Amino acid sequence: MTKQNLYVDLSVLQTVPSSNINRDDTGAPKTALYGGVTRARVSSQSWKRAVRLAFKEDHVSVGTRTKEAAKLVTAKLKELEPALDDEAALDKTSKLFKTVGIKLNKDNETGALLLISRGQITKLAQYAIDNETLDKKEVKKVLNGDQSVDLALFGRMVADNPELNVDASAQVAHAVSTHEVVPEYDYFTALDDEQPEDATGAAMLGTINFNSATLYRYANLNMNELVHNLDEKDAIQGATAFIKDFLLSMPDGKQNTFANKTLPSYVMITIRTDTPVNLVSAFEEPVTSRNGYVGPSIKRLEGEYERTLQYVDKPILNLVLSKDGTKVGEQAANVTELLEKVTVALAKAVQDENIND
């Protein structure tokens, strides 16, 4: 029997003051053209990294994305088998990676970054100790098991051997402003503290690009894929951790310069059984206002949510966190209550699906 789809949509409105949290190759804040005007943009990659860093602070299991996976396995081998010398441990590691087709260069590094969990590192080392003859299927099994939460959420691509790829269970959109932005520049100077009193002029001149914006942020979770990557209990805990840290994290580019850390102004979480829905089309026509963008953006977003109900099934749950209430969903009092209600709803939905299997 085919499993019923189960998706979680996260829509967030967050206003950010003068800032440059995600830069392009020229040092300017990233932008995008949408609806015929320039929008502020924050890349999905930068926000996913912020989430991974928040995971570490919250003691959520995270892997490491590195070219030095072989060195980590070698170090674990020597830790588990102290009698092994450097050359023997490295030889065992090289054979492990060769068995599954991952190429190492002369410095024993992978050609591309490899996301690997701590559990996978330990089990690879233990497998090499326990088995003189290596079995490709078993090594592959180790590399696809014991996934950390970030690996299960964001996936992994291994160009050398696609069999080791992990399909991401989370999709994260580039955040864009709900309105047009005009790039701005801060001209600054720096003085030499030891400069004589009768001297004039600055020791340094410079400019910093910045903008300010009300951002629409969107992500979704495929719960069936997350359960496949982890297990039922860990998937629900992982989903809750992702939602919390997606809401509360922020990329920290130029943070010391602008002190721009803010919190969301509005959150909508929707649990669906048909398809994820990104509500960014609410802002294809840019919001215009003389009294701030948050209020009009909330009105636009809730209107777009209602419009999409013509095309999709009624969600299992539509939960909103907003100081001004909501016209479209169930109101949560705070983040704690929001997460509790989402966790209960997901646990019930996953359990019902398993009962109906």
Side-chain angles (χ1 to χ4, degrees):
M1 183 177 179
T2 304
K3 271 186 174 290
Q4 179 175 257
N5 293 328
L6 185 60
Y7 299 104
V8 183
D9 282 332
L10 288 77
S11 287
V12 179
L13 291 172
Q14 184 165 352
T15 185
V16 182
S18 300
S19 60
N20 187 348
I21 59 178
N22 184 213
R23 288 166 278 176
D24 64 18
D25 58 339
T26 69
K30 290 184 177 180
T31 59
L33 279 174
Y34 185 57
V37 300
T38 300
R39 313 294 183 106
R41 176 173 66 91
V42 182
S43 72
S44 58
Q45 298 93 324
S46 67
W47 226 300
K48 283 190 282 188
R49 174 165 172 75
V51 170
R52 291 182 72 231
L53 293 175
F55 280 169
K56 291 181 181 180
E57 292 183 6
D58 290 345
H59 306 292
V60 176
S61 69
V62 293
T64 181
R65 189 172 59 175
T66 179
K67 291 185 176 183
E68 299 192 348
K71 295 179 183 178
L72 295 175
V73 174
T74 301
K76 181 59 68 172
L77 265 166
K78 292 181 65 180
E79 178 186 326
L80 296 175
E81 190 78 8
L84 282 175
D85 60 27
D86 291 351
E87 187 177 346
L90 181 57
D91 182 61
K92 283 182 175 291
T93 299
S94 298
K95 288 177 179 177
L96 277 172
F97 280 74
K98 185 177 180 180
T99 298
V100 289
I102 299 177
K103 299 172 185 176
L104 300 178
N105 62 22
K106 60 182 179 61
D107 296 318
N108 296 306
E109 296 177 344
T110 54
L113 292 168
L114 177 69
L115 181 54
I116 187 169
S117 75
R118 300 295 175 180
Q120 291 167 350
I121 290 170
T122 299
K123 289 200 171 181
L124 278 172
Q126 191 62 57
Y127 181 85
I129 291 170
D130 295 341
N131 298 273
E132 284 296 328
T133 303
L134 304 182
D135 182 276
K136 181 180 179 179
K137 288 184 179 179
E138 290 302 315
V139 179
K140 174 188 167 186
K141 184 178 178 181
V142 172
L143 270 169
N144 285 333
D146 277 299
Q147 292 183 24
S148 55
V149 172
D150 59 339
L151 175 54
L153 285 167
F154 304 135
R156 175 176 69 196
M157 189 189 79
V158 183
D160 290 341
N161 185 357
E163 292 179 337
L164 301 177
N165 289 353
V166 175
D167 290 334
S169 55
Q171 297 177 341
V172 180
H174 289 229
V176 294
S177 63
T178 64
H179 52 89
E180 183 178 10
V181 297
V182 177
E184 298 184 75
Y185 306 86
D186 176 37
Y187 169 80
F188 66 90
T189 65
L191 299 178
D192 188 331
D193 290 342
E194 301 300 323
Q195 182 173 287
E197 290 185 7
D198 59 350
T200 60
M204 179 181 134
L205 306 174
T207 59
I208 297 177
N209 301 52
F210 68 93
N211 60 38
S212 58
T214 295
L215 299 171
Y216 172 68
R217 302 169 49 208
Y218 171 78
N220 66 58
L221 283 174
N222 181 334
M223 284 303 299
N224 288 344
E225 191 65 40
L226 190 57
V227 170
H228 171 75
N229 288 345
L230 299 171
D231 59 35
E232 182 179 319
K233 180 181 177 182
D234 289 343
I236 293 170
Q237 291 177 347
T240 303
F242 173 72
I243 292 168
K244 172 181 177 288
D245 287 330
F246 181 75
L247 297 184
L248 301 181
S249 66
M250 176 178 279
D252 57 7
K254 292 291 183 181
Q255 182 80 330
N256 290 343
T257 302
F258 291 103
N260 52 252
K261 182 71 168 69
T262 61
L263 295 170
S265 300
Y266 179 94
V267 175
M268 180 192 292
I269 296 182
T270 310
I271 301 178
R272 306 176 181 275
T273 57
D274 50 352
T275 182
V277 181
N278 184 330
L279 298 174
V280 71
S281 48
F283 312 111
E284 194 270 341
E285 179 184 341
V287 174
T288 56
S289 174
R290 292 184 178 180
N291 299 307
Y293 294 110
V294 174
S297 296
I298 291 173
K299 186 176 179 180
R300 285 273 198 95
L301 185 62
E302 292 202 338
E304 186 68 6
Y305 169 80
E306 290 187 311
R307 187 189 70 79
T308 61
L309 294 178
Q310 302 173 69
Y311 302 94
V312 295
D313 296 340
K314 183 179 179 180
I316 293 175
L317 177 70
N318 192 48
L319 195 59
V320 171
L321 180 58
S322 171
K323 68 180 180 65
D324 297 322
T326 173
K327 295 181 179 180
V328 300
E330 179 183 344
Q331 174 80 13
N334 50 48
V335 170
T336 300
E337 183 181 331
L338 181 92
L339 295 174
E340 287 174 351
K341 289 186 175 183
V342 169
T343 301
V344 170
L346 286 178
K348 185 179 186 305
V350 171
Q351 183 182 32
D352 289 349
E353 180 59 33
N354 287 339
I355 290 172
N356 294 327
D357 250 0

